[in-house]
Amino acid sequence: MGSKVTLKYSIISIPMQEKKMQKYAEQTQQEFEGWEEFFNKPVDEKLENFKRNDRIYDVIYAQQFDRNFLDYLCNLADMIRLLAKTKVGQSKLRHLLPHKRAMLYFVQPSTRTFLSFQNACHILGLTISEIRGTSTSSEVKGESPEDTIRTFASYVDLIISRHPEAGFAEKTAWVLNQTEHPVPVLNGGSGPDQHPTQALLDIYTLEREFRTIGGLDGKKIAMVGDLKRGRTVRSLSYLMKNYQDVELIYVAPEVFRMKDDITEFLRKHRIPFHETDDFESIMPEVDAIYMTRIQNEYAEGPVSEAESFPEFHLKKKHLSMIQTHCAILHPLPRRYEIEIIIDKDPRAAYWRQERCGMWIRAALIAYIFGVEKVIFEEFS
Ligand code: NCD
């Protein structure tokens, strides 16, 4: 009888409990004095707020990274990668930050960004806590996201956040920086706006793919797909100002063309670019192709089948049209943008790219806590 009761209890009660947990109250939305004014300032004027002692403290915008920083971080990632090849090296890395704790607050779906940050923390010895949906935090009781985040700062030394809302990571950093107990905030993707650490790993991947042909300087890069709502291509575009003679080609259907804020930025920084919807025509001339998926989650109406835009897919037949050194990137997840058979081609860099994410994020965390000198010393 006991087992029968238990079985009945668990079948009936769990769904009921979940149903009840969905929402107790509307989420509280109180105004933060000064936030609107700060948020509406031009990005360049805000960057100083995310620095401490002349170093980056919060990672919110790709515009925070200059060439020195990018080269420094890529170099550091290479060293971490090399150290991690041996048991002794791994143990040294794990002893760098065992006294630090990180919070992964990921309330928008994620596989790679979450796992690579989590494993970057493991590599450096940090312990982690995680929230992967608002339904399991006190946000269901009506707590505001800002209060939730402030709570994390009471327990951990670093917050890594992914959120569907543009500007959320920035607000988190801004709110915490006014408290007695601020901790660094890393933006792991903020709505359709920015994904600065993805841009770091994309740069690291491109630099590695082009290592024997002079690095990223002087290269022509095509970005393909949903450029309007894809935050990765937006953040990566900002970083191009750090490289000499780079040229961009934006390849997108009319409805998903790159937004004006980015093209204005490129003009301002004299980065040559052009736009086209004829993917095949530019294939022979580019050094890298950065594919992206259609970001249906931001669609306003129901999404139809026709919205997969097959003219913007990379297919097996295209492999003979691109250069022998052309690197193929994709932030992933992939849907139909790249045929599976292409994975076997040595130019397919996207699986290497996702691994680069773990190393560069480990480098970034080591930098944030100022322990990177210990790593450099291993190689001096
Ligand atoms: C990207 C993202 O979340 O913006 N994925 C990722 O972080 N690797 C790209 C995407 O979801 O299309």
Side-chain angles (χ1 to χ4, degrees), residues 109 112-113 162 195 198 231-232 293 295 297 330-333:
R112 274 148 289 271
T113 308
R162 164 168 290 204
H195 197 348
Q198 177 74 38
R231 54 193 172 194
T232 65
R293 72 179 169 91
Q295 306 279 311
E297 64 268 45
H330 192 310
L332 304 176

Side-chain angles (χ1 to χ4, degrees), residues 90 93-95 97 104 115-128 130 358 362 365:
Q90 281 202 19
L93 289 167
R94 259 200 315 277
H95 281 88
L97 293 168
L104 289 159
L115 284 176
S116 62
F117 263 124
Q118 185 185 42
N119 284 286
C121 287
H122 291 163
I123 289 168
L124 300 171
L126 288 103
T127 10
I128 62 152
E130 60 175 77
M358 178 175 72
I365 294 169

